[in-house]
Amino acid sequence: MDDTIRKTRELAYARHEIEFPAELENARRLCEAAGIDVEIRRDGAAVAVHSLLSHLLREATTNLLRHARPTHVSIILSPGRIEVENDGVTDGLDTELRGLARLRERVELAGGELHTRRSPDRFVVWATLAVDGGGRRPSVVEPDKEKS
């Protein structure tokens, strides 16, 4: 029964895979259009990114645009990991936002971890997930020649 549920979820989520390089560029453009300074850091080599981490980036970007008032956003990439931090914490922001809670379940089903941390002036969400977890084809993010 558990295997059937897992396979059903995989089928449902497979239709909504997001290519990470496009999502990263979209996040950068949205933040810049909103007047938010964006810093993107990655290791020097190409970084393979599990497709669920693309969803995390989309959710984090949506949350910071809807629920925060950041002036600076930092996106840090490394193999199997993404971290998104912003300085726009507002009163009443719940660190367990519904979209992140649902995404946490999906990440954990694929063998990964998703965490959030809130301080008075920062909100950070990060996740780790093996590139081959969940049997999905990873996106590869090439390092920029220009400084991000």
Side-chain angles (χ1 to χ4, degrees):
M1 180 66 152
D2 288 339
D3 189 51
T4 302
I5 292 170
R6 183 184 57 76
K7 287 180 181 180
T8 301
R9 283 184 178 140
E10 285 177 10
L11 284 172
Y13 297 139
R15 290 189 213 171
H16 303 292
E17 285 192 25
I18 304 168
E19 290 294 322
F20 192 85
E23 195 59 34
L24 183 61
E25 183 60 25
N26 186 55
R28 178 197 319 254
R29 287 181 180 176
L30 284 170
C31 289
E32 289 174 349
I36 302 166
D37 177 51
V38 182
E39 172 188 15
I40 299 173
R41 295 185 314 204
R42 57 192 116 200
D43 71 11
V47 177
V49 181
H50 189 285
S51 62
L52 278 175
L53 297 184
S54 301
H55 287 272
L56 174 64
L57 179 57
R58 179 174 286 182
E59 185 66 26
T61 303
T62 299
N63 287 344
L64 68 90
L65 291 171
R66 285 186 180 169
H67 305 295
R69 290 184 176 77
T71 59
H72 181 79
V73 172
S74 174
I75 302 169
I76 304 168
L77 307 170
S78 58
R81 187 175 196 280
I82 184 171
E83 177 178 311
V84 181
E85 178 177 354
N86 78 79
D87 65 352
V89 175
T90 57
D91 290 335
L93 177 66
D94 184 2
T95 59
E96 288 299 321
L97 297 165
R98 286 179 289 163
L100 288 176
R102 285 190 303 271
L103 192 52
R104 173 180 281 123
E105 292 172 8
R106 292 174 60 194
V107 168
E108 288 174 352
L109 282 171
E113 297 179 353
L114 187 151
H115 303 278
T116 60
R117 180 178 63 241
R118 179 182 179 198
S119 67
D121 61 346
R122 298 259 183 251
F123 183 81
V124 184
V125 58
W126 71 98
T128 56
L129 192 60
V131 174
D132 61 354
R136 295 196 174 111
R137 181 176 52 84
S139 296
V140 176
V141 181
E142 297 289 338
D144 287 338
K145 299 291 182 203
E146 63 188 73
K147 191 173 182 178
S148 294

